[in-house]
Amino acid sequence: MVLYTPGRTSRYDPTPVERGLRLHFLGGGREVGNVGCVLEDKTGTRILIDYGLAPTRPPKYPAEAPLVDNAIITHSHIDHIGMAPWLVGSHGTTLHGSDLTAKLSSIMWADTYKVSSIEGYPLAWDRRDMDAALDAWQPHQMGEKFILGSWEASLHVAGHIPGAAMVEIDTPEMKILWSGDLDTRISPNVMGAKPVKCDVLCLEGTYGGRNHPNRPEEERRFVERIKETVSRGGVALVPAFASGRGQDILRILHDSAPELEVHYDGMGTRITLDWLEHPHLIRNHDKLRKTWRWCKRVRSKSDRKKALDADVIVTTSGMLDGGPAIWYINRLRHDPANAIFLTGYQAEGSGGRRLLDEGRLPIWGNITPVDLNVEQFSLSNHAGHDELVEFARGCSPRHLVIFHADKESADALAAELEGEMVIHIPENGSQITLE
Ligand SMILES: [Zn+2]
């Protein structure tokens, strides 16, 4: 049940820490997403890093957080930020993050609130908490030092999406690096993350045990398929996440095929406007500005109809669980010249997964066959196995804590790094102490 009773349903053990660093995962231990972790040491300094929810149906929430004065939010994806309004509403917590993450939170929370009301799932926070949370931000620049109790912290570029941060923390006893969601590779809109020497590395392991295809080659393959579709008179529909992937797709197309007519629809429009106000966090921001002027933004119902004559439509949701993508598929599905190009991971039970496996998906409640060319491309913004291993070695920690990973992925990383560092794969709800 999600409706916590603040302070009474928390299972956090408040016994003072005698030495070392104590970690308690509320969520994100041996699972992807749903992140929340409490860090505490003998100085009595206690912080929370991330407080998200998994946007499954029904959503999954991390366990109730204990009282914390400060929380650091690594980035604006809902599985890292979604429950922060509860923290502020219940504990008056101050939220720390990059200026762009703070700015984007308003769109992300409003959308979470809207989706939960439409789908009828309970949410542990309300509009008042959301407004309080918007006032609770203390934004920081990358590299700027800030004080949390007896600790000093700073943010570093994490790759992944613009504004995403790794967190470096100095306690009197040790240096900690928290990776957040991480990519060490350059992607169209962000630079890659660089290792930071530390004693304790908390590393996301989403792609442990799996390597991505070569990114430039995958981008070329994607552009080729788009061009083939257009040359046979079809429209390519590209479902993409609003925060990161969609803007990457626009940059790729603008770079390699500027002759195409590309329309962009969905929540990503407002997100991109926030990105454009934070050029210091965007790779070659001038090019994003040009890309933005080049693509046609869908603003109305009549724009949406016009987009049906475009070459490419980039829109949400990335996993075909709603959003304008469904409206477009319903129109495009009758002409076999059209195609659907999925650009990322499709979760079990998502519309995109069903389309790939069964050639049909729910359109407004009806399971509908879609007889179009459907292909999937790997344009992930998470580091693959080899990048994660290289990053961990570059940080040369004594302790490696793997989280945000299913068991198989975490085990694959552990097997490779065994002997080089002490490896921990904590479970949600249990405490580990590192010295
Ligand atoms: Zn993320």
Side-chain angles (χ1 to χ4, degrees):
M1 189 56 187
V2 57
L3 303 167
Y4 320 126
T5 311
R8 277 195 273 155
T9 43
S10 172
R11 287 170 53 205
Y12 185 76
D13 172 8
T15 317
V17 180
E18 279 173 18
R19 55 184 174 280
L21 172 75
R22 186 167 73 194
L23 297 177
H24 178 121
F25 277 85
L26 305 168
R30 302 190 189 182
E31 63 177 338
V32 172
N34 201 30
V35 178
C37 184
V38 186
L39 285 68
E40 184 170 349
D41 75 351
K42 68 176 179 198
T43 66
T45 303
R46 180 199 288 173
I47 68 159
L48 179 67
I49 300 188
D50 284 345
Y51 206 35
L53 59 87
T56 45
R57 295 176 179 185
K60 241 175 97 185
Y61 308 91
E64 185 195 322
L67 177 66
V68 281
D69 295 331
N70 294 289
I72 303 177
I73 304 295
T74 59
H75 66 292
S76 57
H77 281 154
I78 211 65
D79 51 334
H80 297 257
I81 202 175
M83 285 294 285
W86 181 86
L87 276 182
V88 177
S90 308
H91 296 312
T93 306
T94 299
L95 304 178
H96 302 263
S98 72
D99 47 3
L100 180 52
T101 299
K103 186 74 201 291
L104 291 169
S105 64
S106 152
I107 299 176
M108 301 310 286
W109 291 331
D111 187 62
T112 304
Y113 187 82
K114 191 178 99 188
V115 169
S116 87
S117 340
I118 291 172
E119 299 195 348
Y121 294 123
L123 197 59
W125 50 265
D126 58 23
R127 267 179 190 288
R128 217 180 26 184
D129 300 324
M130 184 169 90
D131 290 340
L134 289 172
D135 289 334
W137 279 108
Q138 215 179 88
H140 303 282
Q141 297 300 316
M142 297 288 173
E144 168 201 326
K145 305 235 186 248
F146 54 99
I147 301 295
L148 301 168
S150 307
W151 303 350
E152 192 178 66
S154 59
L155 307 178
H156 299 266
V157 168
H160 191 56
I161 57 168
M166 306 193 288
V167 186
E168 179 186 347
I169 297 172
D170 282 296
T171 75
E173 285 179 86
M174 58 180 75
K175 185 189 284 292
I176 305 151
L177 185 73
W178 183 279
S179 73
D181 283 5
L182 179 85
D183 201 344
T184 57
R185 301 167 302 162
I186 292 174
S187 64
N189 286 293
V190 272
M191 296 303 292
K194 299 262 184 310
V196 176
K197 297 273 182 238
C198 57
D199 302 300
V200 173
L201 172 62
C202 300
L203 181 67
E204 68 111 329
T206 318
Y207 278 88
R210 285 174 294 164
N211 274 310
H212 299 305
N214 175 284
R215 171 123 200 171
E217 275 173 30
E218 191 71 353
E219 290 183 6
R220 270 196 294 278
R221 188 171 77 88
F222 171 71
V223 174
E224 263 166 42
R225 290 295 186 282
I226 297 257
K227 286 181 173 170
E228 282 166 24
T229 307
V230 173
S231 67
R232 67 169 183 250
V235 178
L237 179 74
V238 185
F241 305 115
S243 187
R245 192 67 43 78
Q247 294 90 344
D248 280 2
I249 300 294
L250 294 179
R251 291 278 296 260
I252 293 166
L253 293 173
H254 181 232
D255 251 16
S256 343
E259 70 280 9
L260 295 177
E261 189 181 315
V262 177
H263 292 233
Y264 187 54
D265 194 357
M267 193 172 88
T269 296
R270 281 180 298 141
I271 289 173
T272 313
L273 293 175
D274 284 348
W275 285 23
L276 288 167
E277 283 175 22
H278 296 75
H280 53 290
L281 294 171
I282 310 286
R283 173 174 170 256
N284 297 343
H285 62 89
D286 258 3
K287 280 200 170 170
L288 177 64
R289 212 167 285 283
K290 285 189 186 121
T291 304
W292 195 238
R293 280 200 295 265
W294 163 80
C295 70
K296 297 194 165 43
R297 277 98 69 189
V298 174
R299 292 196 180 89
S300 61
K301 277 185 185 159
S302 71
D303 283 356
R304 203 163 272 182
K305 282 188 185 131
K306 276 183 223 149
L308 291 167
D309 295 323
D311 296 324
V312 185
I313 304 165
V314 180
T315 190
T316 49
S317 82
M319 293 197 204
L320 298 180
D321 283 325
I326 301 296
W327 185 91
Y328 287 113
I329 289 180
N330 193 42
R331 293 298 190 95
L332 296 171
R333 68 193 167 93
H334 305 289
D335 180 355
N338 300 331
I340 301 172
F341 297 139
L342 301 164
T343 55
Y345 170 72
Q346 303 293 313
E348 216 50 55
S350 65
R353 184 80 261 155
R354 293 187 76 163
L355 183 62
L356 283 167
D357 294 347
E358 306 164 22
R360 47 196 200 144
L361 86 166
I363 297 183
W364 301 307
N366 301 315
I367 304 296
T368 312
V370 176
D371 202 9
L372 298 180
N373 173 26
V374 179
E375 273 188 73
Q376 192 175 20
F377 297 84
S378 174
L379 298 169
S380 166
N381 298 88
H382 286 271
H385 179 85
D386 289 351
E387 288 96 24
L388 288 169
V389 167
E390 198 189 330
F391 181 84
R393 286 188 178 132
C395 297
S396 60
R398 280 203 310 283
H399 294 281
L400 173 67
V401 178
I402 303 168
F403 71 103
H404 200 281
D406 59 30
K407 189 181 177 305
E408 231 172 49
S409 299
D411 287 348
L413 288 169
E416 180 126 17
L417 291 162
E418 199 84 76
E420 297 175 53
M421 44 199 86
V422 185
I423 295 167
H424 311 265
I425 309 174
E427 267 179 290
N428 289 333
S430 66
Q431 297 188 336
I432 58 168
T433 303
L434 308 175
E435 291 180 42

